Amino acid sequence: MDSKIINPKSELFTALLPTFCCFSICDNCVLHCQMCFKWKDDIFIKQDQKALTLEDWKSCALSLREFTPGDFLINFGGGEVLMVPWIFELIYFCHKLKFRTNIATNGFLIDEDMSIKMHKAGLDYILISLDSLNESTHDTLRGKPGVYKNVIRAIDLVNQNAKNVKIGICSILMEPTLDGIIELAEWAQKNEKIELIYFMALMQPNNTHPEQNWYLGDFNRLWPKDFKKVEQVVDQLIHLKKKGYKIGDTIAQLEAFKSYFLNPGTYVKKSSCNINRAVHISSIGDVFMCYNLEKLGNLREKSLNNLWESDLASGIRLKIKDCKQNCHFLLNCNFED
């Protein structure tokens, strides 16, 4: 398979090859996290809308393969994607298509059998949420006792049984975690089982209606109260990054975190948002570049490559170019310097 471009159809199309993709396989979760409401009934999906099947997702992967680079990465997320019984069959299918694959998970469900399945499926990366080395803090934020212990055990199990899977840690900068962020970075640096640690800025929780000043309302308890403290913590992370620590965020991204926490309403980038090259697919098959704009269509109506090339997609790209709104995907998932 070509390691550069698969079946380019035009110069314009080639220039707009995706750089980010997320298969949102499910919309439910086993935890009750304070900063994510995926465990509640989804407010954006009607109950009569059926989720994609395994065969639907395989067809989607085949269509994606037609217009992506040979080593393209598919992120599998949710909700908690490890609740899906056929997830490893889908990962193996994508692995055979020469995609790189990544799971984002809270780690709670990982046991020995599951870690072995990860190895057999050819999974490349796993990103496990760990917000604090303080067991009580992490469990409180995740809404269930025992989560911290399960995460630490999951790291050991994946390391033992799936040597091919690189382990990343994902941690959210918010009021309850700020005091332990540097300790977490130091722990990851010393832990040979950890490939990288990624830090994310707190955003409006998933599965809630968009509000401009959400951080002043019900979720104010999670919002950092002292900007100077945020600034000091992020500056320390930048210092550690420059020293060669295993911090996955770029320095520009960390600097953007400071601008965001100082004033969430001020756009943090000097350049345009690059979400116009992202593919987001919901559990029911709706295809988006940006969830804040209209969908490109549904996989049950058209193939993914046709939706990506459509006139509607071109119009959405123009809207993204003019957008000046900070969001989760801009800051945390797909930030480009």
Side-chain angles (χ1 to χ4, degrees):
M1 185 170 291
D2 193 318
S3 62
K4 295 183 179 179
I5 294 174
I6 308 301
N7 296 334
K9 299 183 179 181
S10 69
E11 290 186 7
L12 176 61
F13 184 50
T14 301
L16 291 174
L17 288 176
T19 57
F20 180 87
C21 177
C22 183
F23 286 7
S24 296
I25 304 292
C26 67
D27 294 298
N28 51 339
C29 190
V30 292
L31 302 185
H32 286 189
C33 300
Q34 294 185 23
M35 54 286 189
C36 177
F37 284 1
K38 279 291 188 180
W39 46 275
K40 293 188 174 184
D41 290 338
D42 199 292
I43 61 176
F44 301 107
I45 295 178
K46 297 177 182 178
Q47 291 186 350
D48 62 346
Q49 293 178 295
K50 294 183 179 180
L52 296 182
T53 65
L54 171 60
E55 294 307 314
D56 290 330
W57 284 111
K58 286 182 177 180
S59 295
C60 175
L62 286 169
S63 184
L64 182 67
R65 182 74 290 174
E66 293 182 18
F67 63 102
T68 48
D71 62 347
F72 191 73
L73 175 67
I74 298 177
N75 296 280
F76 297 91
E80 176 48 58
V81 71
L82 293 180
M83 295 175 68
V84 179
W86 39 257
I87 182 60
F88 293 110
E89 185 176 346
L90 177 59
I91 289 171
Y92 180 71
F93 182 82
C94 294
H95 170 72
K96 297 298 286 184
L97 290 176
K98 306 300 183 183
F99 285 112
R100 291 180 298 134
T101 53
N102 172 64
I103 283 179
T105 175
N106 57 48
F108 186 72
L109 296 177
I110 297 174
D111 57 16
E112 185 165 9
D113 180 61
M114 190 174 287
S115 64
I116 293 171
K117 288 179 179 178
M118 291 177 191
H119 171 73
K120 291 181 177 179
L123 181 69
D124 292 292
Y125 310 99
I126 187 167
L127 190 62
I128 304 175
S129 295
L130 180 60
D131 298 307
S132 175
L133 292 177
N134 182 302
E135 182 175 347
S136 176
T137 298
H138 185 74
D139 286 359
T140 298
L141 286 167
R142 296 291 164 174
K144 184 174 289 191
V147 180
Y148 175 84
K149 284 186 172 69
N150 279 37
V151 167
I152 299 302
R153 180 170 178 263
I155 293 170
D156 290 337
L157 288 172
V158 174
N159 180 67
Q160 291 168 13
N161 299 319
K163 294 290 187 182
N164 56 301
V165 181
K166 295 179 180 178
I167 303 171
I169 297 298
C170 181
S171 306
I172 303 175
L173 298 172
M174 49 186 163
E175 178 63 23
T177 65
L178 274 182
D179 288 335
I181 289 295
I182 301 306
E183 180 188 13
L184 202 53
E186 296 281 3
W187 170 81
Q189 181 65 20
K190 297 174 184 176
N191 193 327
E192 295 180 354
K193 303 166 190 173
I194 306 301
E195 180 80 10
L196 286 172
I197 182 167
Y198 294 89
F199 295 98
M200 295 170 56
L202 177 71
M203 286 288 171
Q204 181 173 345
N206 291 321
N207 201 23
T208 58
H209 291 289
E211 295 182 25
Q212 186 174 2
N213 295 320
W214 63 271
Y215 54 92
L216 301 177
D218 293 340
F219 305 110
N220 183 250
R221 67 188 182 280
L222 300 176
W223 188 257
K225 303 298 184 291
D226 183 353
F227 172 71
K228 286 294 183 183
K229 186 175 181 179
V230 175
E231 188 176 39
Q232 290 170 359
V233 169
V234 176
D235 281 341
Q236 283 181 276
L237 290 178
I238 291 172
H239 174 70
L240 295 177
K241 172 77 175 181
K242 290 179 177 178
K243 286 179 64 177
Y245 271 53
K246 298 183 290 189
I247 296 173
D249 311 76
T250 64
I251 291 175
Q253 185 177 11
L254 293 170
E255 291 285 0
F257 287 174
K258 289 195 294 183
S259 299
Y260 167 71
F261 282 117
L262 177 63
N263 186 350
T266 300
Y267 192 60
V268 298
K269 291 187 70 176
K270 295 179 180 178
S271 58
S272 299
C273 175
N274 52 293
I275 207 75
N276 62 335
R277 298 183 69 184
V279 181
H280 293 105
I281 304 165
S282 77
S283 64
I284 60 172
D286 287 337
V287 180
F288 298 83
M289 275 179 276
C290 174
Y291 278 115
N292 293 325
L293 297 173
E294 62 266 42
K295 65 182 181 182
L296 279 67
N298 189 281
L299 292 178
R300 292 189 172 103
E301 301 163 358
K302 287 185 178 181
S303 66
L304 183 58
N305 54 338
N306 285 332
L307 293 173
W308 183 256
E309 291 185 87
S310 67
D311 291 339
L312 176 58
S314 297
I316 292 173
R317 290 187 184 100
L318 291 175
K319 292 181 181 180
I320 292 171
K321 184 177 180 181
D322 293 334
C323 180
K324 299 298 179 185
Q325 179 180 341
N326 298 321
C327 69
H328 170 69
F329 292 104
L330 169 75
L331 267 171
N332 293 327
C333 293
N334 200 26
F335 188 92
E336 286 184 354
D337 298 353

